[in-house]
Every structure is written in C-alpha cells, then in structure tokens.
Amino acid sequence: TLRDDVTFSDGTKLDADAVVKSLERFRDGTSPQAATLAGKTFAAPDATTVTITQSAPDPSLINLLSIAPGLVEAPSSFDNPDVSTNPVGSGPYILDTASSVTG
C-alpha cells in the first residue's frame, strides 16, 4: 500500500501504476539483479495498491525490495537521455543542476 501524496520531482504522481512499470522495467532489464524478479508479475488494482504474484514463496522478496529491484524509477525518465545529469526522484532532496558540476 502506497501513500497517496507522493510525486516525483518532475511533478508526476508516484502511484501504483508507476511502481508496477518500474518493477517490470527492472525485471525485464539487463541489470545483474534482474533475475531476482524473474517469474514475478505485478499489478496495480488501484492507485495506492501494488500486488506481486509469484509461483512459490520467496523469503528474500522483502529484502530485494529494499535494494536495487525496489528502487522506484519515474516512468517519465525511462527513455530520457538526460536522466544521468538531470535525475527524477521522489525523495526529500532535489539535485540543483545550476550549482552542480558534471563529473
């Protein structure tokens, strides 16, 4: 269950649909940890609920969601070539690109 008052720094809503898209992107991606989500399916029955379905119990799932597989990427940044220098996040800190030096 998600909070209903969270937005990404680009103003888009961090809702269940965004979480599902992020989890699917990670699972289907090329990260060395992508296989940890293999066989799992994700759904957003409403704006604040994410369900994860798997074929067998996976005691490591809670831990997995606390590291890379569980980091929620803003769908608006999926194909953004500038995301490495102009990140889109949802935490308390926003990169001040005007005061930053690349590299």
Side-chain angles (χ1 to χ4, degrees), residues 8-100:
F8 289 104
S9 57
D10 67 357
T12 59
K13 194 138 182 74
L14 194 165
D15 59 10
D17 186 53
V19 173
V20 167
K21 287 178 181 174
S22 184
L23 288 166
E24 289 173 339
R25 180 175 167 87
F26 191 91
R27 177 198 62 204
D28 300 339
T30 59
S31 164
Q33 293 180 340
T36 60
L37 297 183
K40 293 172 176 45
T41 58
F42 313 100
D46 60 50
T48 59
T49 305
V50 175
T51 61
I52 301 173
T53 304
Q54 48 194 11
S55 59
D58 181 357
S60 70
L61 182 61
I62 298 297
N63 184 54
L64 290 173
L65 294 176
S66 72
I67 55 176
L71 300 178
V72 180
E73 181 180 4
S76 62
S77 70
F78 288 177
D79 297 317
N80 182 346
D82 298 324
V83 74
S84 62
T85 55
N86 193 14
V88 178
S90 64
Y93 304 106
I94 297 174
L95 177 66
D96 181 355
T97 55
S99 299
S100 301

